[in-house]
Amino acid sequence: MFATSGIVILAFVILGIVFTDPLLNIATAARDWIGVNLGWLYVLSTTFFLGLALFLMFSRFGSIRLGPDDSRPEFGTVAWFAMLFTTGMGIGLVFWGVSEPIHHLHWPRSSEYLPGEDGAPVVQAAEQAMALSFFHWSFHPWAIYIALGVSLGYFTFRKGLPLRPASALYPLLGDRVFGWPGNIVDIVAVFGTIFGLATSLGLGTLQIGGGIEYLFGIESNALVHSVLIIVITGIALISVLAGIDKGIRRLSVINLWLAIALMTIIFLFGPKLWIISITSTGLGDYLAGLVSWSLSFPSPLMDEQAASWTTAWSIFYWGWWISWAPFVGIFLARVSYGRTIREFVIGALFAPVIVSVLWFGVFGGSGLYFDLFEGGGFNALAEEDRAFRLIELLPLGQTLGLIVATLLIIVVAVFFVTSSDSGSLVVDTLTNGGDTRPLKFQRAFWAVSEGAVTLVLLVLGGADALSALQAASVVTGLPFAVILLFMCWGLLKALKDEPRRHRTETTAYPPRPTHRTPER
């Protein structure tokens, strides 16, 4: 597993350097084809995962622990949530917090909200712009993570199988999960993790580069991006070698508080009444449209604007979240030993959603206000520059403005590190047959590999770097969407055999030994 996955990833890096344009064209064409022809699979599967999460929370299965009945959580609630949030959302929230609502304001889902001939956006489009941002960053992505996280936590800690996606297929495949069928599943998970991570790390690099240009006037170009990726990957390498408790946990808790401080400052100096109004109204619109949007895959023959918007936005996000699912789901399972399924679902489905709503309400709401009423000009800027433009427009003063901009860069950088090192730990676990105590050399290899893939997609993608990142997510997410549906089938099949009154100890699947308590 380690050798095969490593060779293929290295081959991609080499091909990306040698055949940059052809590789980019192929990936982009594949993304467009998937969006048009198989986008419905993303839409229906993500909606199914949300329904599954709610079912698990309210059903009798919610009381089942991810471990023996007498097991208890390893990490406290604050540390657990911090690792949950910084791993699952971090960089993307900061990157898109201002930018995505601005996109939806100027290119809305509904044709009735299209800007007029003068290019000025429609004020009423702001509510839908906020609601659609909530739609992409709230229940659906976390439901995807829950589907994989619960499956692996259950089969690993309760049934004694290795911490690998193939383990969730044991009720369907039996011992064949330890042969080539299981290896194929895990290799697909490795690719999804690497490219999903590269997307987020690439977004983080773009934003840090934009911040450096804002603070110091150094042009955000390929050279700067390369240096940033190398330096931050080096920091992530140190953190991943330190382990979960000393590295990832501490960084996650620190960054959670830094992010809260940053959001509080923006709210206090921003248009507070507008933020409260647009957040509340947008949340209402989101909840009202949740079912219809969840099942929506409009045909261009019926609504050309909604169809093109859905392909460009929702399909990209569902593919991105699914490609991230092996990484985030495995890591969530890894740090959730001893929690009940109900605790897992509530913690992973509702707590991060509250933070996402507040984050977009503060950052996105402020951006919408300045763009609509103060001539903010966000739409003319690159995505990575819009958060710094917001800081510039706030009445912070020069000194405090520089401090806030620096804090934003630090938050993104630490998100980069926590995503990279937790991703390295997950990929190494995957390529070692589910062993939660992998060799440090292999952890280091994957940390460097993630930086190398990000470098290829971002730097060599040039002006089309963001398209390259998005294409990689959509394409790699497709096969794992199918695998994840079968994993859910395996989970439900196994849960049906759980007794209504759980025994003190649960029996592992023969002939595999029971799983060890994971390394801290």
Side-chain angles (χ1 to χ4, degrees), residues 150-168:
V150 169
S151 297
L152 292 189
Y154 175 82
F155 285 105
T156 299
F157 301 133
R158 194 166 182 85
K159 295 298 185 181
L161 295 175
L163 186 60
R164 49 189 293 238
S167 294

Side-chain angles (χ1 to χ4, degrees), residues 267-504:
F267 175 76
L268 292 176
F269 287 88
K272 289 177 283 295
L273 291 179
W274 167 266
I275 289 173
I276 295 171
S277 174
I278 197 68
T279 302
S280 176
T281 306
L283 182 60
D285 288 353
Y286 163 54
L287 295 176
L290 181 60
V291 174
S292 61
W293 287 346
S294 297
L295 297 172
S296 179
F297 183 64
S299 167
L301 299 177
M302 297 177 61
D303 191 335
E304 185 175 355
Q305 174 64 19
S308 59
W309 182 92
T310 300
T311 300
W313 282 99
S314 295
I315 301 305
F316 156 62
Y317 270 120
W318 302 160
W320 187 14
W321 301 136
I322 291 172
S323 69
W324 256 55
F327 155 49
V328 180
I330 292 172
F331 186 77
L332 295 190
R334 177 72 176 73
V335 299
S336 300
Y337 173 83
R339 296 191 180 273
T340 66
I341 290 178
R342 185 171 291 113
E343 285 177 331
F344 186 100
V345 173
I346 292 175
L349 189 61
F350 291 101
V353 167
I354 293 172
V355 176
S356 295
V357 168
L358 293 175
W359 189 274
F360 272 98
V362 171
F363 282 85
S366 298
L368 290 172
Y369 174 84
F370 283 108
D371 200 67
L372 284 169
F373 307 115
E374 301 291 341
F378 289 95
N379 197 46
L381 301 174
E383 287 87 351
E384 61 268 23
D385 296 331
R386 293 175 181 176
F388 297 100
R389 172 62 174 163
L390 172 62
I391 293 173
E392 186 178 359
L393 292 171
L394 292 172
L396 295 168
Q398 184 176 4
T399 302
L400 184 56
L402 292 176
I403 293 173
V404 173
T406 303
L407 178 60
L408 177 61
I409 294 174
I410 293 172
V411 168
V412 176
V414 180
F415 275 142
F416 190 127
V417 172
T418 53
S419 295
S420 179
D421 58 13
S422 52
S424 302
L425 187 65
V426 165
V427 173
D428 201 21
T429 300
L430 278 173
T431 55
N432 281 278
D435 185 2
T436 58
R437 301 169 184 260
L439 298 175
K440 290 187 176 181
F441 161 75
Q442 293 178 355
R443 292 187 192 181
F445 172 83
W446 289 116
V448 173
S449 296
E450 289 160 12
V453 173
T454 304
L455 199 63
V456 169
L457 291 175
L458 180 63
V459 177
L460 300 183
D464 298 317
L466 190 57
S467 295
L469 295 172
Q470 293 173 331
S473 291
V474 173
V475 173
T476 55
L478 179 63
F480 201 78
V482 178
I483 291 172
L484 190 52
L485 289 171
F486 280 101
M487 291 174 66
C488 293
W489 181 12
L491 174 65
L492 293 173
K493 185 177 175 64
L495 288 175
K496 285 172 57 180
D497 297 331
E498 283 281 344
R500 288 187 176 273
R501 292 183 180 274
H502 310 308
R503 295 183 294 272
T504 302

